[in-house]
Amino acid sequence: MKDSGAFRLTYFTEKYNETIVFYKDTLELEVLHVWDRHANDKGTLLKSGVGTIEVMLKPDETYRIKGLDYRKPQGVFACLQVDDVTALYEKYKKKSLVFREDLVDQSWGHRSFSVEDPNGIVLFFFEERF
């Protein structure tokens, strides 16, 4: 396996516009690429550290590709490592963001907090403290 690739978290959503506003405007993630080919082919790539979050509009039945799972994400969470989790937490508090877990020092050496995106995906922002 090559080390030159990047990790990408990809999922479909019926709440496409709300989700993009959340990542782009609320969390202030950088938009890398957007496409809007037609009503059933829309997506956005957002930069997250060395990885990418890819959000795509859930297409109707006629545009679905065999082999992909179009169900609502469940049991999924993402960990986003940052350089200064305390500063990011304070920045997000000013935006009245709802936190799943407030800023805490974890027993395993991380300092972290978590939020939930419009689709129920929990995002843990953390900084290694060891």
Side-chain angles (χ1 to χ4, degrees):
M1 182 185 248
K2 295 168 71 176
D3 289 338
S4 61
F7 178 77
R8 187 180 290 191
L9 171 65
T10 304
Y11 66 93
F12 294 100
T13 180
E14 294 172 340
K15 301 175 181 178
Y16 178 76
N17 291 329
E18 180 182 349
T19 302
I20 299 309
V21 166
F22 175 80
Y23 282 104
K24 181 177 148 286
D25 298 337
T26 305
L27 298 185
E28 299 180 20
L29 297 185
E30 177 186 352
V31 174
L32 299 173
H33 180 69
V34 176
W35 68 94
D36 185 353
R37 297 181 189 110
H38 57 75
N40 281 283
D41 190 2
K42 296 180 183 183
T44 301
L45 301 176
L46 301 125
K47 181 176 174 41
S48 175
V50 296
T52 304
I53 297 172
E54 180 175 10
V55 179
M56 296 184 293
L57 175 68
K58 182 179 177 181
D60 66 34
E61 297 283 336
T62 59
Y63 286 93
R64 295 193 182 170
I65 298 169
K66 184 178 179 178
L68 293 181
D69 188 347
Y70 293 89
R71 294 175 296 174
K72 179 181 176 181
Q74 57 187 20
V76 174
F77 65 93
C79 298
L80 297 86
Q81 185 173 0
V82 297
D83 292 329
D84 188 344
V85 74
T86 303
L88 187 61
Y89 176 77
E90 293 301 327
K91 179 180 180 178
Y92 287 169
K93 277 190 76 140
K94 291 176 185 172
K95 294 182 172 221
S96 300
L97 192 58
V98 176
F99 295 89
R100 287 282 304 257
E101 181 178 53
D102 285 312
L103 190 61
V104 63
D105 291 318
Q106 304 289 0
S107 62
W108 54 86
H110 288 174
R111 184 166 174 80
S112 66
F113 67 88
S114 63
V115 299
E116 188 174 313
D117 88 350
N119 304 284
I121 295 177
V122 176
L123 306 169
F124 279 93
F125 292 88
F126 76 96
E127 175 184 345
E128 289 183 342
R129 306 289 284 208
F130 48 85

